[in-house]
Amino acid sequence: MRVAVIGAGVIGLSSALCIHEQFHGLLPSLELEVYADHFTPHTTSDGAAGLWQPYLSDHGNLQETLWNKETFDYLLGHLHSPAAKEMGLFLISGYNLFTEPVPDPSWKNIVLGFRNLTPKELELFPGYSYGWFNTALMLEGRSYLPWLTNRLTQRGVKFFHKKVESFQEVSGDGVDVVLNCSGMRAGDLQPDPQLQPARGQIIKVLAPWVKHFIITHDLKSGIYTSPYVIPGSEFTVLGGICQHGNWSTENSAKDHKSIWDSCCRLLPALQKAKIVGEWSGLRPARPSVRLERESVRLGNLQAEVIHNYGHGGFGITIHWGCATAAARLFGSILQERKQLATPAGPRL
Amino acid sequence: MASPKVAVVGAGVIGLSTALCITETCPSCSVTVLSDQFSPNTTSDVAAGMLIPHTYPDTPIHRQKQWFKETFTYLFAISNSVEASEAGIHLVSGWQVYKSTPKEELPFWSDIVLGFRLMSEAELQKFPQHRFGQAFTTLKCDCPPYLLWLEKRLKATGTQMYTRKVADLWELHSEYDIIVNCTGMGARQLVGDKQLFPVRGQVLKVHAPWVKHFIRDGDGLTYIYPGVHRVTLGGTREKGSWSLSPDAGTTRDIFDRCCSLEPSLQGAQDIEVKMGLRPSRQCVRVQGEVLSQGGVKLPVVHNYGHGAGGFSVHRGTANEAAHLVGECISALQGSLSRAKL
């Protein structure tokens, strides 16, 4: 049984690991191959700050809230393991700020210690009159992706540096299942008008005195269009850009100024912070995550494709829930092909 | 008295902040700081500088609360300004956890720190050996940066600073009108205060930048305090010990206790061991005194004995000491006018 995984961001690698962990024991013939044009540290997941936090509202998408919860609980369970540091996993607390009262988010009971801000705390943030404080997790892509890669390599998973142009390209060689984790470029493999870039730009600075994340919100202009500050283990990320439909991955001077000015207004001490980098990336935005099976006829072959893309600005937040869901879809494929029942039987 | 000459003896957080308060309340004063040690070699440099008060048994609680409130307010404003990083002042959130529920669930300072509340069951799961906890956000003063920032502010006011060991306050009476005694542990020798005793603390300063929260065991012995660049792991409270040498067994023990609270510390790097003697007393001595010798009077303002709580109350006691200096000046001016009659 050969499985081709397209994409080596957090979604591709975690789905691959989850499937291998769950099925390799039952199916020793299982061979996984990861194909990607970009590997860590050049994926979208590497550029993300790594904060676990869903959007403010799940728009009734209860399934995504459950996947978020599953991811948080899974990571929390690993917090005290010796692997935590290598994974880039640690606890972080911080502030979400608003200019008006808002309903509590879908994730208020998933994170730890969720509460409203007190008047004295709001004094720290002139211009904001309402907010939340909670403890969440950081999972830094620059550490997590190499950790996933090591786990996969140990399990004998092979990696191929290749831009896949079609499902046919990877399924032709006796590959039974394709795991499509191609993120922003899923549309190149199969047109999907619902998938659009939500371009972000970030400035990396050295500001080690900042110990909290601070996310401001402008409800009119949308998520991540308002300044945010996220302290990592090596540098702090300043952001506040989310441009729908913009495919450019070039850093924009105008966006730089907007991020810098607004973050320094939020935290005056940042004026003294040293800038150590800048990056632009495309959040693979979609009204909902596409996580489903599809039978694809390619020539005279039938392949099963498991789509797992469109995680927007919450890929890290939702990744493990989606990985286990993808693994369940894989399991159902195996059931149908009776691969699990009779490993020695003829292959369909 | 046109320009009273004030000598502040001691250049730890108490000496420097008191000197600064004096320049603020008495701009006509000429202030000089004298100390045998300056940052990074003061007791203050060893301390983590966390704003979590220590309770002094013999100081009225309302006075301790006032000191803490003034200190917190002062530092809160700096943390929110462009000077925060230079001054080494930053907010930090975290947890104080107890193995058994304490008698006092709400400490006197719970309404001064930010967001104080009891920990939820879910939060306590992170601490399997502890059954009760408090979560809050407070401030931390990193040293040397904070002391260096105070020195810079002092220099800007024209304050002179000299390295000098003062063995007797009377050495200074011909050069200065008022002496401010901020000598911490040194006051035991300098003014013969036997009520002052050392409480030795050993700490580790490590590189662990993924640790973003403080964690303190309510027993006060084990704590993890993340600073700007290093995390302070503690500690010990050895009453009566004068030793400034590191103890290897203690180092191992502190590390183990802290890893038990925060397992990821196993990956900490660049461990430095530091020792300090907390200048402890049943109550902080913030008090004016007029020394007398052979008909000569020497006004002294004492500000020492802050023990484990120096950073938490430093600005409050500095304000009080500066106020006492103001009273000394008035008294001196009064007696000068009387002398002229």
Side-chain angles (χ1 to χ4, degrees):
Chain A
M1 160 70 66
R2 280 178 65 205
V3 176
V5 180
I6 306 176
V10 67
I11 300 301
L13 297 184
S14 61
S15 305
L17 184 63
C18 194
I19 286 172
H20 203 275
E21 280 176 349
Q22 286 192 24
F23 295 102
H24 183 74
L26 299 163
L27 196 63
S29 68
L30 180 63
E31 276 173 44
L32 244 57
E33 293 153 0
V34 176
Y35 295 82
D37 55 357
H38 294 296
F39 286 90
T40 182
H42 305 293
T43 71
T44 307
S45 308
D46 290 286
L51 177 67
W52 186 102
Q53 186 170 297
Y55 288 178
L56 295 181
S57 164
D58 61 10
H59 300 296
N61 212 318
L62 190 55
Q63 181 62 261
E64 287 181 8
T65 297
L66 291 173
W67 287 335
N68 289 332
K69 177 174 163 57
E70 193 180 337
T71 307
F72 191 88
D73 291 345
Y74 167 77
L75 293 173
L76 199 61
H78 275 77
L79 198 58
H80 285 182
S81 80
K85 186 188 171 198
E86 210 192 321
M87 287 165 79
L89 177 65
F90 54 92
L91 277 176
I92 188 166
S93 294
Y95 306 89
N96 276 278
L97 303 172
F98 305 88
T99 54
E100 59 189 283
V102 292
D104 290 345
S106 60
W107 41 270
K108 67 178 270 207
N109 293 321
I110 301 174
V111 294
L112 300 171
F114 182 93
R115 62 172 174 82
N116 285 348
L117 291 181
T118 63
K120 215 161 88 170
E121 287 174 306
L122 286 165
E123 277 176 41
L124 285 165
F125 310 110
Y128 296 96
S129 56
Y130 188 85
W132 309 321
F133 183 93
N134 65 269
T135 300
L137 293 162
M138 283 283 282
L139 183 64
E140 297 182 309
R142 285 169 17 264
S143 296
Y144 189 48
L145 264 54
W147 183 83
L148 287 169
T149 306
N150 287 341
R151 303 282 78 69
L152 288 166
T153 305
Q154 274 169 11
R155 290 171 160 273
V157 172
K158 303 266 187 302
F159 292 84
F160 299 92
H161 197 144
K162 180 178 183 182
K163 179 164 170 67
V164 175
E165 307 281 8
S166 67
F167 292 130
Q168 187 140 14
E169 209 182 298
V170 291
S171 65
D173 248 343
V175 160
D176 308 88
V177 178
V178 177
L179 194 44
N180 177 19
C181 306
S182 46
M184 196 64 252
R185 283 177 304 280
D188 293 350
L189 293 169
Q190 186 188 89
D192 183 347
Q194 290 186 81
L195 180 69
Q196 290 292 318
R199 180 183 173 277
Q201 184 167 321
I202 53 128
I203 305 174
K204 298 181 198 175
V205 302
L206 293 181
W209 63 88
V210 178
K211 306 290 180 192
H212 299 91
F213 63 80
I214 303 167
I215 321 254
T216 67
H217 298 270
D218 180 337
L219 300 175
K220 277 197 292 290
S221 54
I223 193 88
Y224 304 136
T225 55
S226 191
Y228 60 80
V229 178
I230 303 175
S233 62
E234 284 172 49
F235 53 78
T236 297
V237 169
L238 309 183
I241 301 290
C242 190
Q243 297 155 343
H244 280 268
N246 187 348
W247 282 91
S248 170
T249 53
E250 300 280 304
N251 293 323
S252 140
K254 181 164 177 247
D255 291 339
H256 173 99
K257 184 170 182 354
S258 164
I259 296 166
W260 185 258
D261 290 349
S262 61
C263 287
C264 286
R265 248 195 313 277
L266 187 58
L267 279 190
L270 284 174
Q271 289 168 61
K272 301 276 175 81
K274 181 176 171 203
I275 296 176
V276 293
E278 193 138 8
W279 179 82
S280 299
L282 308 177
R283 300 175 183 90
R286 205 172 181 277
S288 63
V289 174
R290 186 177 185 199
L291 183 35
E292 62 188 3
R293 271 174 66 178
E294 186 184 7
S295 295
V296 174
R297 172 143 248 112
L298 303 160
N300 59 353
L301 289 168
Q302 181 114 329
E304 286 299 306
V305 178
I306 298 174
H307 297 286
N308 187 3
Y309 68 86
H311 306 80
F314 51 89
I316 285 163
T317 298
I318 204 172
H319 82 277
W320 193 252
C322 290
T324 65
R328 281 191 292 282
L329 290 175
F330 182 74
S332 68
I333 295 172
L334 293 183
Q335 290 275 25
E336 285 161 20
R337 297 184 178 199
K338 297 186 170 29
Q339 290 282 354
L340 285 175
T342 52
R347 272 159 66 103
L348 290 167
Chain B
M1 179 165 286
S3 179
K5 295 199 285 292
V6 181
V8 175
V9 187
V13 68
I14 301 302
L16 296 181
S17 57
T18 303
L20 192 60
C21 280
I22 295 168
T23 64
E24 289 166 11
T25 56
C26 177
S28 63
C29 281
S30 153
V31 180
T32 305
V33 175
L34 306 170
S35 181
D36 60 352
Q37 301 290 354
F38 282 81
S39 179
N41 299 315
T42 70
T43 306
S44 303
D45 290 288
V46 179
M50 284 294 287
L51 256 69
I52 298 178
H54 166 83
T55 302
Y56 303 101
D58 291 351
T59 302
I61 291 289
H62 75 266
R63 200 170 170 212
Q64 297 187 50
K65 189 165 177 174
Q66 183 60 25
W67 287 340
F68 181 56
K69 188 165 184 202
E70 281 175 29
T71 307
F72 196 92
T73 304
Y74 173 71
L75 295 174
F76 185 76
I78 299 171
S79 79
N80 215 9
S81 78
V82 68
E83 304 208 54
S85 60
E86 195 195 335
I89 308 290
H90 58 98
L91 283 173
V92 57
S93 296
W95 309 281
Q96 178 161 242
V97 292
Y98 298 79
K99 293 194 166 119
S100 52
T101 308
K103 274 195 291 284
E104 196 187 57
E105 286 192 10
L106 285 188
F108 74 80
W109 41 268
S110 63
D111 60 342
I112 298 171
V113 296
L114 302 177
F116 185 98
R117 60 180 172 80
L118 301 186
M119 284 167 75
S120 63
E121 280 303 315
E123 286 174 300
L124 279 164
Q125 301 228 3
K126 183 173 150 55
F127 306 103
Q129 291 164 358
H130 296 76
R131 298 167 46 195
F132 177 88
Q134 302 150 335
F136 55 94
T137 301
T138 188
L139 291 158
K140 186 179 189 297
C141 300
D142 267 39
C143 285
Y146 184 54
L147 298 187
L148 295 176
W149 181 81
L150 287 172
E151 286 180 25
K152 186 175 166 185
R153 299 276 306 265
L154 282 167
K155 284 186 187 136
T157 66
T159 301
Q160 302 287 317
M161 289 182 273
Y162 299 108
T163 301
R164 174 174 169 174
K165 169 99 185 137
V166 174
D168 185 327
L169 291 181
W170 281 103
E171 286 171 32
L172 307 172
H173 93 274
S174 57
E175 302 163 69
Y176 302 98
D177 303 305
I178 300 165
I179 315 298
V180 185
N181 171 21
C182 304
T183 53
M185 204 59 240
R188 192 174 156 104
Q189 180 92 344
L190 189 60
V191 299
D193 185 346
K194 298 282 189 286
Q195 290 178 59
L196 189 65
F197 56 93
V199 174
R200 180 185 184 278
Q202 183 163 320
V203 294
L204 313 181
K205 304 228 174 183
V206 309
H207 180 76
W210 60 88
V211 175
K212 306 288 186 194
H213 297 90
F214 72 81
I215 304 172
R216 181 180 199 270
D217 191 307
D219 69 10
L221 283 175
T222 308
Y223 50 83
I224 297 162
Y225 294 145
V228 178
H229 296 291
R230 323 214 84 221
V231 183
T232 300
L233 308 184
T236 65
R237 292 183 194 273
E238 300 153 275
K239 191 170 166 183
S241 168
W242 287 89
S243 168
L244 283 173
S245 304
D247 181 281
T250 300
T251 296
R252 180 83 244 157
D253 181 55
I254 291 170
F255 191 73
D256 289 345
R257 285 189 273 122
C258 287
C259 284
S260 145
L261 276 183
E262 178 52 70
S264 71
L265 284 170
Q266 290 286 354
Q269 304 278 313
D270 301 330
I271 297 175
E272 273 183 273
V273 187
K274 301 239 168 202
M275 286 69 52
L277 306 178
R278 300 175 184 83
S280 308
R281 212 168 176 275
Q282 294 288 96
C283 60
V284 183
R285 191 179 184 199
V286 189
Q287 187 179 52
E289 185 183 10
V290 182
L291 301 182
S292 196
Q293 199 182 79
V296 185
K297 296 211 185 305
L298 181 59
V300 176
V301 171
H302 299 286
N303 189 7
Y304 68 85
H306 301 72
F311 278 90
S312 297
V313 297
H314 77 274
R315 180 77 183 183
T317 58
N319 282 335
E320 206 174 299
H323 181 77
L324 290 172
V325 168
E327 286 182 1
C328 286
I329 294 170
S330 305
L332 281 173
Q333 280 165 341
S335 65
L336 274 179
S337 332
R338 281 195 294 280
K340 284 184 184 137
L341 290 171

